[in-house]
Amino acid sequence: GTWFRTIEGARHGRQSSARENLLPSSTGHDRRRRVPVHTVVESPIGPLTAVRDGAAITGLYFPAHAPAPAPARLGERDDTGFDDLRAQLTEYFAGTRHAFDLELAPSGTDFQVDVWGALRTIPYGTTWTYTEVATAVGRPGSVRAVAAANGRNPLSIVVPCHRVIGASGSLTGFAGGLDRKRFLLDLESGDRLF
C-alpha cells in the first residue's frame, strides 16, 4: 500500500484531510518500535540518501539538501530493504515510471501532510503554482504556508515538490538546488523547459 490516497479533483479545489493521506492503519506501521536506517542510492543527479523506518520510506534527500535532516533521523547505514525504491528510481530516471508505488511515512504536521498529499496528485510532466497547491488543500489564502510545507518535504522526487513553480512560471527555491529541479522537470517533460 502507499501512504497517500489519490485526491480526485485536487486541482479543482476539493479538500482532502490529513487523516485521508496518512498511512492506513492496516499496514501495521508503528513508528514507536522502529529504528530508522539509511542507504545511498546513486542517481543521475548525485547520490540520494534514502531513509526507512521499518518497511516505510521516511526520507529521500539530495546531497547538500537544504534544510538538511538531523543525523539522528538517518539512523545507521543498512543497504537492505530498499530494493523497491532503488528499482522505481531507476525506472523514473529512465523515463519509464511516472508515479511511485511505495509505502511512505514522512513526519510532519497535518497541514504539511495535506500539502505533500496534494503534491502527489500533480501529474507527471506538468507543473502547478503554489496557489494551485493551496487551492487543492482547501486553503487558497495560504500560499506562503504551502511554500514552507513544500520546502520541508522529506521525500524528494517521490513526493514531487519539484513540480511546483512560482506564479510567474519561474523556477523557485528547491531543497536540491535549482539545477536539479530543472533536470527533473526537463526529464519529465521530455524536452528542455527551463
Side-chain angles (χ1 to χ4, degrees):
T2 57
W3 165 58
F4 291 106
R5 191 175 75 107
T6 300
I7 305 169
E8 293 298 323
R11 195 166 197 177
H12 302 291
R14 293 189 193 128
Q15 273 186 302
S16 67
S17 78
R19 297 293 146 227
E20 290 174 341
N21 294 330
L22 290 173
L23 249 171
S25 59
S26 63
T27 64
H29 184 78
D30 183 349
R31 295 181 57 85
R32 292 171 294 173
R33 289 192 235 152
R34 308 281 187 205
V35 175
V37 295
H38 76 277
T39 192
V40 175
V41 179
E42 294 302 324
S43 82
I45 55 176
L48 303 170
T49 300
V51 183
R52 69 177 170 78
D53 185 350
I57 304 298
T58 59
L60 186 61
Y61 302 100
F62 296 104
H65 196 96
R73 286 193 171 263
L74 302 181
E76 297 292 321
R77 179 150 182 179
D78 180 350
D79 296 332
T80 62
F82 291 96
D83 293 344
D84 283 348
L85 175 65
R86 283 180 198 284
Q88 290 186 36
L89 282 169
T90 298
E91 293 167 354
Y92 171 80
F93 284 115
T96 59
R97 174 169 290 278
H98 297 173
F100 291 87
D101 183 22
L102 300 163
E103 185 176 330
L104 306 173
S107 178
T109 67
D110 286 352
F111 180 73
Q112 289 171 328
V113 168
D114 275 348
V115 169
W116 301 335
L119 297 177
R120 290 195 36 116
T121 68
I122 302 172
Y124 180 93
T126 64
T127 57
W128 284 9
T129 64
Y130 292 102
T131 302
E132 288 174 299
V133 177
T135 300
V137 297
R139 305 263 305 266
S142 299
V143 174
R144 287 184 183 190
V146 163
N150 193 63
R152 292 283 182 188
N153 172 24
L155 290 159
S156 302
I157 303 170
V158 175
V159 175
C161 56
H162 60 276
R163 295 180 188 156
V164 183
I165 59 173
S168 68
S170 63
L171 293 184
T172 55
F174 186 59
L178 292 182
D179 288 342
R180 286 188 182 97
K181 183 171 188 165
R182 186 175 297 108
F183 177 94
L184 296 171
L185 292 174
D186 289 348
L187 170 73
E188 292 183 6
S189 74
D191 198 6
R192 186 172 173 93
L193 290 178
F194 295 94

